[in-house]
Amino acid sequence: MTVDDADPAPPAPWVLREYAVLADGERGAVVGPRGEVVWLCAPRWHSDAVFSALIGGAGEYTVGPRDDWNAWGGAYEDGTLIHVGRWITGDAVIECREALAMPAAPDRLVLLRRVRALQGSARMRLRLDVRPGFGTHRITGAWASDGVWHASGRGLHLRFTGADGVVPHPEGGLHGELTVREGAEHDLVLELSTRPSTQPLEPARLWRATEECWAAAVPACSDLAAPRDARHAYAVLRGLTSDSGGMVAAATTSLPERAGARRDYDYRFAWIRDQCYAGLAVASHGPHPLLDTAVGFLTERLLDDGDTLRPVYTATGAKVPGVRSLPLRGYPGGSDRIGNRAGTQFQLDTYGELLQLYAAAARLDRLTPDARHAVDVAVDAIERRWLAPDAGLWELENRWWTHSRLCVVAGLRSLARALPGRAAARWDALAGAMLRETRRRCLAPEGHWTRAEDDAGAEAGLLLPLARGCLPEGDPSGPRTRRFIEDRLAQDGYLYRFRHGDMPLGEAEGAFLLCGFMMALAAHHEGDSIAAFRWFERTRAACGTPGLFAEEYDVAQRQLRGNLPQAFVHAQMLETAARLGT
């Protein structure tokens, strides 16, 4: 290996569709097509990033071809977040298998990379520059012993194996070059931990344990529509779910929904609603472990906070910090904000989603005694607060949002069906009262549901409570609302959330992929299987090269917009695949 003489520039950003994400439940790494890790928070999701080039910060871990004249590709191994990058250069075909090692520990991450020379010799560029504090600090004092590099700083301890011959770069980090002969492979293991570790960094053992964890975590989905994509969605949800129970909404922060619009947020936290979507998606397939995980984590939050339940927590269940900016450039068109203001909002629909999750758990005999107690806590909170304005599904200003009320009605009715008895009569009565008042305030004279009491526009979010049975069988307002939404919010087979004033669809924001799957579910609920499959197939095609969904899709430019990978889109994709597969 030889060191580069010049201090390299940080990796330039790619369009979002080209990035892969590695995740182990406790944190996630974003990897570019040239083999560069441009985002990784350590030790946990909401910690400061040690590689932050994605939003303009310093720090990188690159293992990629020395020859810049190459074509790239790659894919995930089925049912895992083990990614295999692939390059074809002028004289070689090279693969790099990479993963965050599992089982994961909250205070220690291990990033595995295995370079394979399939044809010709693989001459690889290697750069490791760990920069804690979103690039503002360095890990210094690197030294090597018995083939292991050591360094420490800012509360993190580094070990790095397989990089014999790399040398410290004058500007920081370790730089060098790796050559792997044709037919051979070479392992690199990076460990970052909050205390000095003596655990052996044996690549074969670490790879075997990681493969076994993925095999145990992701069920077969051969009975679902689009089995491979369904398994991939399940793997994404598992990768975003901590052993503490919380599932983060995405691995990243501040990736823009639209250039310069300042609609870019930190999604490295656990939203109650999103994790309910994930639990319901898993339950639609069977009593798999992520259902129990969701029920357990969300029950703890509900029992702790009752009618002051926050919409979002850290993955450990703590309070989400407020918004602040970093001194970084941000991803092009985006910003450098961390923290989230939604942590202080009241969102009524979260209680409805919780009740639907508990009903699904009860149907599968997975409702714990604590969760049964949480049901009563949620119903009590709904009785006290359902008439009050709330921030709603899209976390906007406090208003009397129709979706929030219909979502709670769906939850109460689903619960009454799953747990018949004396309490069910109370739940049915409350659902009836809410539906009557919501109908009085929010049903248009034409017979369809509107966005809010004071907004007659179309709202795609209404499709989900309609699909979940919030209305009596045969109620014509459901089909009328689906048609109303499709007429006003659909374009080229994709669906938008709502109109932003008089702006044309696609100009204010991208198509919302969550809503496309909601439309498929609503069509399926009405028995319109052709429309359901059409919406499902069109929406699931809007992923990036590695098969990851962002929040939004720019229909005209065929680009991903927003943070990556967006958990609730993968959850809704999984649920739709399960429903359509029955």
Side-chain angles (χ1 to χ4, degrees):
M1 297 189 183
T2 59
V3 66
D4 294 331
D5 293 330
D7 184 25
W14 300 90
V15 294
L16 295 180
R17 67 180 302 115
E18 298 296 347
Y19 286 109
V21 173
L22 316 177
D24 63 7
E26 306 300 337
R27 75 286 294 175
V30 179
V31 185
R34 300 291 191 194
E36 67 277 35
V37 178
V38 295
W39 182 258
L40 175 64
C41 296
R44 309 199 75 169
W45 292 110
H46 55 275
S47 303
D48 289 0
V50 296
F51 305 131
S52 53
L54 186 64
I55 60 170
E60 67 168 302
Y61 176 25
T62 296
V63 179
R66 182 69 178 171
D67 183 358
D68 287 333
W69 185 258
N70 66 76
W72 67 86
Y76 287 101
E77 295 180 3
D78 186 37
T80 77
L81 291 188
I82 298 171
H83 184 258
V84 181
R86 183 180 175 92
W87 301 277
I88 301 176
T89 70
D91 55 6
V93 178
I94 309 164
E95 287 187 347
C96 183
R97 192 184 194 218
E98 49 203 0
L100 282 166
M102 295 171 71
D107 58 350
R108 173 179 179 261
L109 71 86
V110 177
L111 179 52
L112 306 174
R113 306 186 94 165
R114 174 172 286 173
V115 178
R116 300 163 171 164
L118 303 183
Q119 178 181 313
S121 291
R123 190 171 179 234
M124 308 294 285
R125 178 185 296 114
L126 195 157
R127 296 172 182 163
L128 175 62
D129 187 9
V130 178
R131 298 286 188 98
F134 297 97
T136 58
H137 304 285
R138 300 178 186 271
I139 287 185
T140 58
W143 57 279
S145 174
D146 297 325
V148 181
W149 279 94
H150 302 260
S152 61
R154 303 297 296 183
L156 292 174
H157 300 269
L158 174 150
R159 290 193 295 166
F160 186 41
T161 71
D164 299 338
V166 295
V167 297
H169 192 278
E171 299 299 323
L174 301 170
H175 292 194
E177 194 172 291
L178 168 69
T179 299
V180 181
R181 294 190 304 273
E182 182 173 2
E185 59 185 29
H186 185 89
D187 285 296
L188 298 161
V189 181
L190 171 64
E191 176 194 74
L192 293 174
S193 60
T194 58
R195 56 178 180 269
S197 173
T198 58
Q199 297 186 48
L201 299 178
E202 301 171 351
R205 182 186 61 82
L206 290 165
W207 274 115
R208 185 167 56 253
T210 301
E211 292 160 357
E212 290 172 352
C213 281
W214 280 114
V218 178
C221 296
S222 57
D223 55 334
L224 307 187
R228 183 167 175 254
D229 283 0
R231 272 174 60 80
H232 186 46
Y234 199 107
V236 170
L237 298 178
R238 171 61 187 90
L240 297 177
T241 303
S242 167
D243 282 349
S244 63
M247 182 198 76
V248 297
T252 58
T253 182
S254 298
L255 301 184
E257 297 176 6
R258 183 171 178 81
R262 300 293 291 176
R263 290 201 305 273
D264 28 78
Y265 309 102
D266 190 349
Y267 282 176
R268 300 171 299 147
F269 306 112
W271 264 258
I272 298 294
R273 178 191 303 107
D274 295 24
Q275 194 151 6
C276 287
Y277 289 167
L280 285 163
V282 172
S284 66
H285 186 221
H288 303 301
L290 281 185
L291 170 60
D292 295 337
T293 301
V295 169
F297 178 79
L298 299 175
T299 294
E300 288 181 14
R301 309 286 78 73
L302 184 54
L303 292 180
D304 284 347
D305 292 339
D307 65 358
T308 61
L309 181 72
R310 297 185 181 95
V312 57
Y313 296 80
T314 69
T316 60
K319 183 179 179 181
V320 170
V323 178
R324 66 183 177 93
S325 293
L326 303 168
L328 303 179
R329 297 176 66 183
Y331 183 86
S335 69
D336 59 353
R337 290 187 288 185
I338 59 173
N340 201 291
R341 64 181 177 84
T344 61
Q345 290 183 343
F346 166 53
Q347 296 174 15
L348 177 66
D349 70 294
T350 58
Y351 291 97
E353 297 295 350
L354 282 164
L355 294 186
Q356 292 172 51
L357 177 66
Y358 290 142
R363 287 192 293 270
L364 294 171
D365 197 25
R366 308 302 297 175
L367 192 69
T368 64
D370 281 347
R372 178 61 187 85
H373 176 45
V375 166
D376 295 329
V377 173
V379 173
D380 288 345
I382 290 166
E383 287 181 322
R384 286 191 294 270
R385 303 199 65 176
W386 74 269
L387 284 167
D390 74 300
L393 169 64
W394 309 125
E395 300 174 345
L396 304 172
E397 70 278 5
N398 284 343
R399 293 166 72 179
W400 222 83
W401 299 106
T402 310
H403 166 269
S404 295
R405 277 79 200 163
L406 295 186
C407 183
V408 173
V409 171
L412 288 165
R413 289 192 159 156
S414 182
L415 194 66
R417 291 191 295 269
L419 294 173
R422 181 178 300 177
R426 173 195 176 199
W427 303 332
D428 265 332
L430 178 57
M434 290 185 66
L435 184 59
R436 286 191 296 274
E437 182 63 12
T438 307
R439 191 183 296 273
R440 184 182 72 82
R441 299 191 189 199
C442 304
L443 190 69
E446 296 80 8
H448 61 258
W449 296 94
T450 63
R451 289 193 75 204
E453 180 181 21
D454 57 351
D455 188 336
E459 166 60 75
L462 289 170
L463 294 164
L464 194 58
L466 295 177
R468 299 211 192 283
C470 69
L471 300 177
E473 187 174 353
D475 189 320
S477 65
R480 288 172 183 168
T481 301
R482 182 164 76 92
R483 290 195 300 270
F484 179 66
I485 292 169
E486 187 165 9
D487 287 346
R488 285 156 179 79
L489 300 180
Q491 188 174 79
D492 197 21
Y494 294 98
L495 197 65
Y496 294 79
R497 294 186 297 172
F498 52 84
R499 285 191 175 273
H500 292 258
D502 296 329
M503 297 179 69
L505 293 176
E507 185 172 319
E509 63 181 15
F512 225 71
L513 299 180
L514 175 75
C515 297
F517 290 123
M518 288 179 176
M519 179 66 86
L521 286 173
H524 177 70
H525 179 73
E526 292 179 17
D528 188 351
S529 60
I530 293 176
F533 271 98
R534 178 170 55 83
W535 280 101
F536 173 69
E537 294 295 349
R538 186 64 162 159
T539 306
R540 80 180 177 102
C543 60
T545 306
L548 300 177
F549 293 107
E551 189 172 39
E552 297 180 13
Y553 184 66
D554 187 317
V555 177
Q557 298 186 33
R558 294 183 170 89
Q559 296 290 352
L560 306 186
R561 305 292 186 217
N563 285 287
L564 190 77
Q566 194 72 31
F568 64 19
V569 181
H570 290 271
Q572 210 74 340
M573 185 271 163
L574 176 60
E575 181 178 355
T576 308
R579 301 292 182 197
L580 297 185
T582 57

